[in-house]
Structure formats: structure tokens, C-alpha cells
């Protein structure tokens, strides 16, 4: 399953931004005179791929993209891969400023195109230095350094069977996305329409390369990824008939790896400009993994994606309900990815995120890569055993159907993909005899899983840091409250002391007349020592205060009783006067009639009553 040798030699070009025409190709290096690869291969979108949207916002950026290479006399149509380094310089610093440069800055990109992305790791570093040196000349007419750079590529970029990994550090990927990393990995196997968005083009591309690098050997077998109509891999694929267990590559090939994710109907574009949206919307494009830095695609995510990964916000939006169900992680999946996340977190080093702080194997890039390889091999073996159970009785050495640990909905969805069809038709039916058909962390949900998941949630939400801050704030409030309470008690004690001092002074003032009277009589008491403070008898003071209160209460009670009696007397006087008025009326004394005898008697009686109602003070009562 090794890739056949290619006759394509790496080439270099320069892409500039013209103020009137936009991005355009300015020159090629490493091609025959009079030829233009952009015209020969219909690379009309190359300038837009090299100068990504938003590249002007950064001093330096990288873009990764795929191109379709047309059929030649010696090779079939295939995919080639481009990497560009974009920089900009102040136009006033140029030694030879062209007449058509009207803007204050000049933006250009140096592009290298090769037949495989597995060299891009070392190619990026060389491209960075060459582009920096070319811009440092401040003269874009001198391109000798670019010619020498292209000539060196043919000598240094040699094909090899060893994997040269490309992409974002897997430690950083797991540190940022945690259990979502496994969701993205399984999503790649289901071949949906994956759309990545981010404002930084290089990071956007590196995340995608990191994901596909988790499938062993896939970086070397991407010859069909640039065009949904390519299917060279499938037509040239041969089923392996032998296995050398001591050879890792032989084992992986026998197990059906790499899984072809970008075959017929599939497409891979780490950076895809808006000019290629027609290709994405084409009926023949069934699945893809593409990236964009243009926020316009966010407004049309339902049309162009089944799943959207926003790298700026670190969010994953699954628009397809069936895909959401298939990507749900089982208890064994969560246990497996939680173990990886915990290992990375325990060995995390902010200064050097790509390597463990312990400098050991646990948590390293190779450790993570082998864990995913073990997971993938277990999935392939388990799937083969699941197909075996459909027509054979279960084996006594294997308990139940182990596919339940991988989520049965995921397996059902995967069986509908072209990748799965290619896998089942080109691999042995008894792969479970080579690799045990069992999830690496098989088993039901346990208490340890809950504890581990709770710890991961605390790490994710930074609850420990928040609780530490809250604890510090609480301690400050407690200290402040303690100070306030202490001050209040101190003030209360001072008030008590002041009251005692006032009582002492009053007792001393009351004691002075007694002392003077004793000096006039026969008292022989010695005079008080002026240096000695007299003792205050608090019991006596309280008793005097209580006696005064009792006297005041008795006085108020007596006054209330007297007032009550007076009200009763007044009421009786009114009633008697009313009764006498009725008697007079009953005796036949009408209005205007005079009865001298009776009137005299009434006056005599009233006069006597008034005398009786006078009190000892001589004040007459108004009701008389």
C-alpha cells in the first residue's frame, strides 16, 4: 500500500496583492521557460489560497492548501499541496519601489508546492527563513534567493516510509478540547461535511492536519483529496495477503490502514477561499474537511456544514441530529479520553506546551499517538467481530458484543460511509484474531469514572481557582468583620467605664454634705485619702434607681386612678341633671309658663348641690 513514486518536482512561486486587480501570481521558479503551471493545471484560485482572507491583519502568516494536478504523459491526475508564507513591508522602505505600488504597505507571499504534505514540517522552517531574507533585502526585483531555495527543495525533500507528522501539537489539542478531541476524531471517520473556522490561518490548518495525522499513514496517502472526482487510491488498492507481526507498517497495512477518508466524493482543503464554495455545494461532493477565515461562512453554516468547529471560541456545533447521536461518547470512551486528558494536564508546561514537564514518555506526543492507534485498531477488530456474529455463533473467549463500548449508533453510521466499504472489502474477515476485539478501557460506568469526570469538570471550569479566590475574599470579610466586632465591644466597654465613672462622681458629690455634717458634729471618721479612688457601690446605685422607678410608677398610677374617678363623677352629674329636667317637664310646666313654687325649690336644690360639689381647694366643678 506504499505510495508510488512521483515525477513531480517541488516548485516555487510569488503571489502579490495588486491594489486594482487583487491577488495575482507574479512569477514561477523551477518550471520550464514559457510555461505557467497555473494555466496548465487550472490553478485560478491559487492567489486567493496563498493570500488568505485577513492576512493583512498580521505581520506574518502561513496558509496550507490543496491543488488539482492535471493528467500528464507519465502520471494520472492527482493532488499536490501548497504552503505559503505571507509577509508585508512598508512601501517607503523599498529601494526600488514600482510605479504601481500606491498603498502604504506591500504584501506578498512565497509559495512552495510539493506532492505530499508530510514534508511540510521541515519545509515551513525553510520557507520562513527564505521569505524573511527576501523581504530583508527590501528589493523584490532580486529573486536569486528564491531560485536557490527551489533548487534545494528537490535535493532535501526525499520520500520516506517513516511518518513525518504535521500539525498542531497533540498535547495542545487535548489540553484545549479535552474529551471533544475524541469526538472530532470519530467524526473524521464518519466523513461528514466538517467546516473549521478561525481568524488565524496557520492554526486553522494545523488543527486539521493534526486530526488526520492520528490515522496512521494517511498523510502519505492523500493523492485524491484535492478533487471529489479522484479515486486513484481505491483503483490501485490491493488487499494484503501476508502479515509480518514484527513490522509495524505490515501490521497496519494488514489491518486496513490508512482508512481512506478523502476518496471518491470527498475533499480536503485546510484553507479554502470563498471562490471554492461552488465545489463544496456541488452534488458530487459528499463529504469534506475544509477551513475558512471568512466569517461569512458562519452565517451559512447550516448549508455548508454538518459540524462547525470554531477555533476562536473553542466551540463545536453539530447541526445534524443523526450525527450528534452517533458522536455521543460511551462510558468506555469517556474513561479512555479522560485518562489522556488527565495525563496531559498533570504533565502540562505553559512554557513548553509540546513536551511534558517531566521530560518522560507519559503525556508525550508519541504516547498520545500510540494511544489513538491502539483505539483505532481495537475499533477495526471489534467491527470485524461484530460482522462475524451476524452469521456465526459467539466465540467462547469473547463475552457479548464489544461494539457497545464504541456506541452502536456510531458503528451504524460508520457502516454507511465509503471508507467503511473500502475497509471491509480489502481486509481479512478475521482481524479479531490479530488484535483483541475489545475497547482499550472496556467496562460499565463506575464510581472511579464519576470521580475522574468530576475532577475533569473542576479543571475545565477552573473551579479550584475560583474557590481559591472566593476563599481569599471570605477571609478578608471575616477579618474585617472581626475587626468591626472587636471595635464595637471596645466602644461598649468604654461606655460602661464612662457610666461607672459618672456614677462614682455622683456618689462622691452626694457624700460630701455628709462629711461636712460629720465635721460639725461628733463624727470621728478620718478624712478620705485624695489619692484613693472611692469604691462605687453598684448594688446601692441599682437599688436607688429601682426605688425611684417605683415611686414614679406609683405617682403615675395614683394620678390615673384620680382621673378615672373624676370621669365617673362627671358622667353621674350629667345623668342626674337630665333626670331633673324630665321631672320638671312632667309636672306640666310648659314653655313660657312660670311656677314660682317649684322653680324656687329647684334653685334651692341646685344651690345646695353646688356647695357640696366644691372641693377643699374651693374650685367648683363645671358639671354642677
Amino acid at each position: 500500500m506504499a505510495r508510488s513514486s512521483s515525477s513531480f518536482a517541488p516548485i516555487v512561486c510569488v503571489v502579490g496583492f495588486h491594489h486594482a486587480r487583487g491577488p495575482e501570481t507574479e512569477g514561477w521558479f523551477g518550471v520550464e521557460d514559457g510555461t505557467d503551471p497555473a494555466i496548465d493545471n487550472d490553478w485560478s484560485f491559487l492567489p486567493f489560497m496563498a493570500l488568505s482572507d485577513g492576512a493583512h491583519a498580521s505581520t506574518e502568516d502561513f496558509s496550507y492548501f490543496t491543488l488539482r494536478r492535471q493528467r500528464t504523459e507519465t502520471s494520472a491526475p492527482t493532488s499536490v499541496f501548497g504552503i505559503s508564507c505571507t509577509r508585508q513591508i512598508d512601501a517607503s522602505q523599498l529601494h526600488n519601489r514600482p510605479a504601481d505600488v500606491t498603498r502604504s504597505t506591500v504584501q506578498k507571499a512565497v509559495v512552495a508546492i510539493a506532492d505530499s504534505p508530510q514534508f511540510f514540517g521541515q519545509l515551513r522552517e525553510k520557507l520562513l527563513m527564505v521569505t524573511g531574507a527576501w523581504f530583508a533585502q527590501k528589493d523584490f526585483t532580486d529573486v536569486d534567493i528564491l531560485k536557490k531555495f527551489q533548487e534545494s527543495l528537490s535535493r532535501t525533500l526525499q520520500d520516506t516510509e517513516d511518518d513525518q507528522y504535521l500539525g498542531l501539537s497533540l498535547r495542545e489539542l487535548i489540553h484545549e478540547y479535552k474529551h471533544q478531541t475524541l469526538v472530532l476524531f470519530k467524526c473524521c471517520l464518519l466523513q461528514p461535511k466538517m467546516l473549521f473556522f478561525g481568524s488565524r490561518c496557520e492554526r486553522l490548518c494545523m488543527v486539521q492536519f493534526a486530526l488526520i495525522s492520528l490515522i496512521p499513514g494517511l498523510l502519505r496517502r492523500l493523492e485524491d483529496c484535492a478533487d471529489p472526482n479522484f479515486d486513484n487510491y481505491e483503483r490501485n488498492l490491493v488487499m494484503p495477503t501476508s502479515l509480518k507481526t514484527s513490522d509495524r507498517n505490515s501490521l497496519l497495512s494488514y489491518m486496513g490502514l490508512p482508512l481512506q477518508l478523502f476518496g471518491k466524493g470527498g475533499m480536503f482543503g485546510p484553507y479554502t477561499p470563498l471562490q471554492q464554495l461552488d465545489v463544496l455545494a456541488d452534488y458530487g461532493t459528499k463529504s469534506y474537511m475544509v477551513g475558512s477565515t471568512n466569517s461569512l461562512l458562519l452565517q451559512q453554516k447550516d448549508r455548508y456544514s454538518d459540524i462547525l468547529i470554531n477555533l476562536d471560541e473553542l466551540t463545536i456545533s453539530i447541526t445534524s441530529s443523526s450525527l450528534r447521536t452517533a458522536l455521543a461518547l460511551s462510558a468506555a470512551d469517556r474513561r479512555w479520553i479522560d485518562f489522556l486528558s488527565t495525563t496531559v494536564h498533570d504533565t502540562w508546561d505553559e512554557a513548553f506546551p509540546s513536551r511534558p514537564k517531566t521530560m518522560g514518555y507519559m503525556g508525550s506526543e508519541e504516547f498520545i499517538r500510540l494511544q489513538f492507534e491502539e483505539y483505532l485498531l481495537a475499533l477495526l477488530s471489534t467491527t470485524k467481530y461484530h460482522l462475524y456474529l451476524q452469521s456465526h455463533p459467539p466465540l467462547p473467549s469473547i463475552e457479548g458484543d464489544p461494539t457497545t463500548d464504541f456506541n452502536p449508533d456510531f458503528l451504524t453510521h460508520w457502516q454507511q460511509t465509503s471508507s467503511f466499504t473500502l475497509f471491509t472489502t480489502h481486509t481479512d474477515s478475521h482481524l479479531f484474531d490479530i488484535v483483541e476485539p475489545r475497547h482499550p478501557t472496556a467496562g460499565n460506568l463506575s464510581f472511579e469514572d464519576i470521580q475522574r469526570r468530576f475532577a475533569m469538570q473542576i479543571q475545565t471550569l477552573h473551579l479550584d481557582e475560583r474557590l481559591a479566590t472566593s476563599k481569599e475574599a471570605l477571609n478578608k470579610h471575616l477579618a474585617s468583620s472581626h475587626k468591626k466586632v472587636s471595635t464595637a465591644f471596645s466602644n461598649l466597654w468604654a461606655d460602661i467605664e464612662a457610666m461607672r465613672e459618672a456614677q462614682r462622681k455622683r456618689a462622691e458629690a452626694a457624700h460630701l454634705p455628709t462629711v461636712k455634717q460629720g465635721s460639725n458634729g461628733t463624727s470621728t471618721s478620718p478624712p478620705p485619702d485624695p489619692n484613693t479612688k472611692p469604691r462605687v457601690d453598684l448594688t446601692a446605685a441599682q437599688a436607688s434607681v429601682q426605688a425611684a422607678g417605683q415611686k414614679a410608677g406609683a405617682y403615675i398610677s395614683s394620678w390615673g386612678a384620680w382621673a378615672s374617678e373624676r370621669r365617673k363623677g362627671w358622667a353621674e352629674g350629667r345623668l342626674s341633671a337630665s333626670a331633673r329636667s324630665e321631672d320638671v317637664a312632667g309636672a306640666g310646666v310648659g314653655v313660657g309658663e312660670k311656677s314660682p313654687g317649684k322653680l324656687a325649690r329647684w334653685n334651692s336644690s341646685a344651690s345646695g348641690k353646688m356647695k357640696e360639689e366644691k372641693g377643699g381647694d374651693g374650685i367648683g366643678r363645671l358639671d354642677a
Side-chain angles (χ1 to χ4, degrees):
M1 297 176 66
R3 183 176 181 176
S4 59
S5 59
S6 174
S7 59
F8 183 81
I11 56 179
V12 175
C13 73
V14 175
V15 173
F17 185 86
H18 192 273
H19 70 281
R21 298 185 296 269
E24 59 182 6
T25 305
E26 297 181 348
W28 289 93
F29 305 94
V31 300
E32 297 180 0
D33 295 338
T35 61
D36 188 341
I39 297 177
D40 298 340
N41 297 281
D42 191 18
W43 293 345
S44 57
F45 298 148
L46 171 61
F48 300 96
M49 297 176 176
L51 290 177
S52 61
D53 294 331
H56 61 277
S58 58
T59 305
E60 181 180 82
D61 201 0
F62 287 84
S63 176
Y64 301 77
F65 48 90
T66 59
L67 296 169
R68 183 181 189 277
R69 185 190 177 203
Q70 299 287 2
R71 181 187 301 272
T72 63
E73 297 179 355
T74 58
S75 63
T78 186
S79 303
V80 292
F81 305 86
I83 174 176
S84 70
C85 179
T86 305
R87 292 180 66 96
Q88 53 186 345
I89 187 175
D90 194 336
S92 60
Q93 299 180 5
L94 295 178
H95 298 322
N96 297 317
R97 179 173 178 173
D100 58 350
V101 175
T102 59
R103 295 194 174 189
S104 59
T105 58
V106 177
Q107 186 180 40
K108 293 183 182 294
V110 179
V111 183
I113 301 176
D115 63 342
S116 175
Q118 64 174 326
F119 312 114
F120 279 6
Q122 53 178 310
L123 183 56
R124 178 195 180 278
E125 301 304 321
K126 295 181 179 180
L127 188 60
L128 175 64
M129 293 185 292
V130 169
T131 306
W134 189 46
F135 269 74
Q137 295 178 163
K138 300 179 181 180
D139 184 6
F140 293 133
T141 60
D142 185 0
V143 294
D144 185 60
I145 188 174
L146 300 181
K147 293 179 180 179
K148 293 181 179 179
F149 170 60
Q150 187 279 326
E151 294 171 357
S152 67
L153 293 181
S154 301
R155 299 190 301 267
T156 57
L157 300 183
Q158 300 294 331
D159 196 2
T160 176
E161 289 296 323
D162 297 330
D163 288 325
Q164 298 187 24
Y165 301 114
L166 172 68
L168 184 71
S169 166
L170 296 180
R171 287 176 51 82
E172 296 181 53
L173 188 66
I174 293 179
H175 183 73
E176 292 181 357
Y177 286 95
K178 297 179 175 59
H179 73 277
Q180 298 285 11
T181 306
L182 181 57
V183 173
L184 293 177
F185 175 73
K186 298 181 72 172
C187 184
C188 293
L189 302 181
L190 298 182
Q191 296 179 274
K193 295 180 179 180
M194 301 181 67
L195 174 61
F196 290 78
F197 170 79
S199 56
R200 294 174 52 193
C201 186
E202 182 178 21
R203 181 177 179 81
L204 176 74
C205 301
M206 288 295 96
V207 170
Q208 298 173 67
F209 276 116
L211 285 175
I212 65 175
S213 71
L214 292 175
I215 300 178
L218 185 56
L219 281 177
R220 291 185 281 111
R221 304 310 307 266
L222 293 175
E223 60 262 34
D224 296 334
C225 70
D227 193 319
N229 296 319
F230 288 171
D231 60 346
N232 296 326
Y233 180 86
E234 181 177 357
R235 289 190 287 106
N236 298 325
L237 184 61
V238 178
M239 180 177 173
T241 57
S242 61
L243 169 64
K244 188 177 182 180
T245 56
S246 59
D247 186 356
R248 174 176 173 269
N249 291 329
S250 176
L251 173 63
L252 296 179
S253 177
Y254 191 82
M255 293 295 296
L257 295 175
L259 298 175
Q260 185 53 268
L261 304 183
F262 309 107
K264 185 73 172 179
M267 177 181 171
F268 174 52
Y271 174 71
T272 303
L274 295 181
Q275 288 75 11
Q276 281 190 299
L277 289 182
D278 291 342
V279 180
L280 302 183
D282 188 82
Y283 178 78
T285 306
K286 305 300 182 181
S287 65
Y288 50 74
M289 179 188 294
V290 296
S292 176
T293 58
N294 197 310
S295 59
L296 292 177
L297 281 180
L298 295 180
Q299 304 173 10
Q300 304 183 44
K301 62 179 182 180
D302 294 337
R303 178 182 179 185
Y304 290 105
S305 68
D306 295 325
I307 177 172
L308 171 65
I309 301 94
N310 192 324
L311 302 183
D312 291 344
E313 300 179 358
L314 296 180
T315 58
I316 298 176
S317 302
I318 304 177
T319 57
S320 172
S321 57
S322 59
L323 181 62
R324 187 182 301 109
T325 304
L327 292 179
L329 298 182
S330 64
D333 283 341
R334 288 301 299 258
R335 186 183 304 116
W336 182 83
I337 192 61
D338 286 347
F339 165 71
L340 275 185
S341 301
T342 303
T343 304
V344 171
H345 180 271
D346 294 342
T347 59
W348 185 254
D349 188 353
E350 288 291 345
F352 302 97
S354 61
R355 70 184 187 191
K357 63 181 180 182
T358 58
M359 299 297 179
Y361 174 71
M362 292 293 293
S364 63
E365 292 285 309
E366 188 64 22
F367 169 79
I368 297 173
R369 207 170 291 280
L370 288 180
Q371 294 299 315
F372 273 95
E373 181 178 307
E374 179 188 11
Y375 181 93
L376 184 57
L377 291 176
L379 173 62
L380 299 179
S381 177
T382 301
T383 303
K384 283 291 185 177
Y385 182 70
H386 176 76
L387 298 177
Y388 173 85
L389 290 178
Q390 295 178 0
S391 56
H392 299 82
L395 298 178
S397 59
I398 302 175
E399 181 180 357
D401 188 354
T403 56
T404 55
D405 289 327
F406 291 96
N407 184 1
D409 291 328
F410 167 79
L411 185 60
T412 301
H413 204 294
W414 185 36
Q415 290 176 341
Q416 302 172 5
T417 64
S418 60
S419 173
F420 181 85
T421 302
L422 197 64
F423 162 72
T424 54
T425 56
H426 290 80
T427 53
D428 190 270
S429 60
H430 285 63
L431 292 182
F432 50 87
D433 291 336
I434 308 299
V435 176
E436 182 183 6
R438 183 178 184 273
H439 195 288
T441 54
N444 296 324
L445 186 66
S446 62
F447 182 71
E448 289 76 11
D449 298 330
I450 299 176
Q451 286 182 319
R452 188 185 305 109
R453 191 171 302 176
F454 182 71
M456 290 302 301
Q457 289 294 332
I458 292 180
Q459 297 173 5
T460 302
L461 299 176
H462 303 285
L463 292 181
D464 48 350
E465 300 175 6
R466 298 180 183 179
L467 291 177
T469 305
S470 302
K471 183 179 179 181
E472 182 180 357
L474 180 61
N475 290 336
K476 290 182 180 180
H477 285 299
L478 289 177
S480 177
S481 301
H482 176 72
K483 183 178 180 180
K484 291 180 180 179
V485 172
S486 300
T487 304
F489 273 107
S490 299
N491 294 338
L492 178 62
W493 186 255
D495 293 341
I496 294 175
E497 291 295 329
M499 184 183 68
R500 288 180 177 179
E501 182 66 19
Q503 290 178 351
R504 183 189 65 78
K505 290 182 179 181
R506 287 195 297 270
E508 183 178 354
H511 185 66
L512 286 177
T514 306
V515 174
K516 290 181 180 180
Q517 184 179 0
S519 62
N520 295 333
T522 58
S523 176
T524 59
S525 299
D529 189 358
N531 297 326
T532 303
K533 294 183 180 180
R535 296 181 59 187
V536 179
D537 192 353
L538 295 180
T539 304
Q542 293 176 355
S544 62
V545 171
Q546 185 175 5
Q550 292 175 354
K551 290 179 180 180
Y555 175 78
I556 293 174
S557 298
S558 63
W559 184 86
W562 175 83
S564 178
E565 291 177 359
R566 291 302 91 197
R567 284 194 297 271
K568 291 179 180 180
W570 298 340
E572 291 175 357
R574 292 190 190 97
L575 292 174
S576 61
S578 176
R580 284 192 294 269
S581 297
E582 292 176 357
D583 293 340
V584 172
V589 181
V591 178
E593 295 183 356
K594 296 181 180 179
S595 179
K598 293 183 179 181
L599 185 60
R601 287 196 301 272
W602 184 85
N603 288 336
S604 175
S605 175
S607 176
K609 187 68 175 177
M610 289 182 64
K611 291 179 181 179
E612 292 176 1
E613 290 295 333
K614 289 184 179 180
D617 52 2
I619 301 176
R621 306 303 179 210
L622 295 177
D623 58 351

